[in-house]
Amino acid sequence: MFVVMVSSLVPDHLRGYLSRFVVEVEAGTFVGKVSPSVADRLWERGVAAIGSGRLTQIRSAPQCEQGFEIRTYGQGAPTVYDFDGIQLIARRQAAQNGEVL
């Protein structure tokens, strides 16, 4: 299973843990090929250690229409919605007067 994990504002120990299984190709972006159980474990450990950061996991999923699935977690992380088998991302936008819509 191919997996991409994108982290933002996470503790250094989490980045070190992730780099044991996948390669950090750019600051906070990890890529690799792991088993489904390792991908699940990386996600679980990431969520447990996230602190005030944000984590996104994109992993191959042949059973999905798009061929991948997305998980997000943390403060300010976008919400993923399933719309008839297609995953869509919802983000909040700030109005011109500074309020969040």
Side-chain angles (χ1 to χ4, degrees), residues 66 68-72 77-92:
Q66 294 164 300
F68 61 89
E69 61 184 4
I70 305 167
R71 298 175 177 178
T72 62
T79 304
V80 180
Y81 291 99
D82 184 288
F83 185 74
D84 289 337
I86 304 292
Q87 291 185 337
L88 303 173
I89 303 293
R91 291 189 176 88
R92 292 183 161 223

Side-chain angles (χ1 to χ4, degrees), residues 23-47:
V23 177
E24 188 170 13
V25 295
E26 193 172 311
T29 303
F30 300 85
V31 179
K33 185 176 179 184
V34 297
S35 70
S37 61
V38 170
D40 287 338
R41 186 69 177 144
L42 291 174
W43 180 252
E44 291 166 6
R45 291 283 298 263
V47 167

